[in-house]
Amino acid sequence: MTKGFFSRGFLGRRREVAEAGRLPPGQYLTEDFPVLSAGPTPRTPKDKWDFSVVGAVETPQRWTWDEFHTLPRETFTVDIHCVTKWSKFDTKWSGISLDTILGVAKPQAAYVLAFCDGGYFTNLPLADVMNNKAWIVDSYDGAPLPPEHGGPVRLLVPHLYFWKSAKWVRGLRILEEDQPGFWESLGYHNYGDPWKEQRYQGD
Ligand SMILES: Nc1nc2c(c(=O)[nH]1)N[C@H]1C(S)=C(S)[C@@H](COP(=O)(O)O)O[C@H]1N2
Ligand SMILES: [Mo]
């Protein structure tokens, strides 16, 4: 047996083991980046665009495009998991942490509805978008976020199934009571934890 053969085998095996623990149950790994949208891709001109935080907050917020882009930025790499069973490792994004955005709005209730251009919306517990768990991203893999993937900006909540990562997001509404979003009212699970395979209602 040559040294080269042995090294390659060993490294390949180590990689498999590392990846196995990162893949939630029932998922397969893909190198592609599939596009899944319930409707056409909206294209809102920058001068008509804003981002707002409304509802049960101490200080409602509205940022224009330019104002929004003065907020402090973060770059980070995460794995993403779609309910249609593909997962993608090491996706690189940059944008604004929801800790920053909610830090100025000061939510007074426990639920969030993310709303979007095109009418899509999705619900999340406030706790799931705080403490370094969620971002509004405008860049993927070092380039501006393409429109089909949610550009100019999308919500990114990598620890939940990807339908919670609302594309073309325009704001957050803080609610006293949880309210199902678009897919959640059509039978998707209300919470969507990929590690518990919470794909559909009743899972
Ligand atoms: N506004 C909006 N956001 C959305 C959707 C949508 O139809 N509209 N689809 C969701 C679903 S079901 C998935 S799996 C991901 C797909 O994101 P991608 O097209 O970038 O892969 O976006 C989510 N966010
Ligand atoms: Mo999805």
Side-chain angles (χ1 to χ4, degrees), residues 33-38 82 120 149 154 162-163 165 167-168 183:
F33 195 169
V35 171
L36 288 124
S37 305
C82 176
Y120 184 87
H149 285 300
R154 81 181 295 164
F162 209 35
W163 86 77
S165 293
K167 305 197 277 190
W168 317 297
W183 283 123

Side-chain angles (χ1 to χ4, degrees), residues 33-39 42 80-84 86 93 116-121 145 148-150 154 161-169 182-183 188:
F33 195 169
V35 171
L36 288 124
S37 305
I80 55 179
H81 313 290
C82 176
V83 71
T84 62
W86 57 267
W93 307 84
C116 308
D117 280 325
Y120 184 87
F121 58 112
L145 182 62
E148 66 272 22
H149 285 300
R154 81 181 295 164
Y161 280 127
F162 209 35
W163 86 77
K164 298 284 185 183
S165 293
K167 305 197 277 190
W168 317 297
V169 67
F182 177 81
W183 283 123
Y188 278 29

Side-chain angles (χ1 to χ4, degrees), residues 90-129:
D90 295 321
T91 60
K92 190 180 164 200
W93 307 84
S94 78
I96 296 145
S97 170
L98 279 198
D99 292 322
T100 301
I101 289 166
L102 295 169
V104 289
K106 301 189 190 70
Q108 306 293 304
Y111 299 96
V112 182
L113 209 56
F115 55 90
C116 308
D117 280 325
Y120 184 87
F121 58 112
T122 188
N123 59 316
L124 304 123
L126 181 69
D128 283 83
V129 297

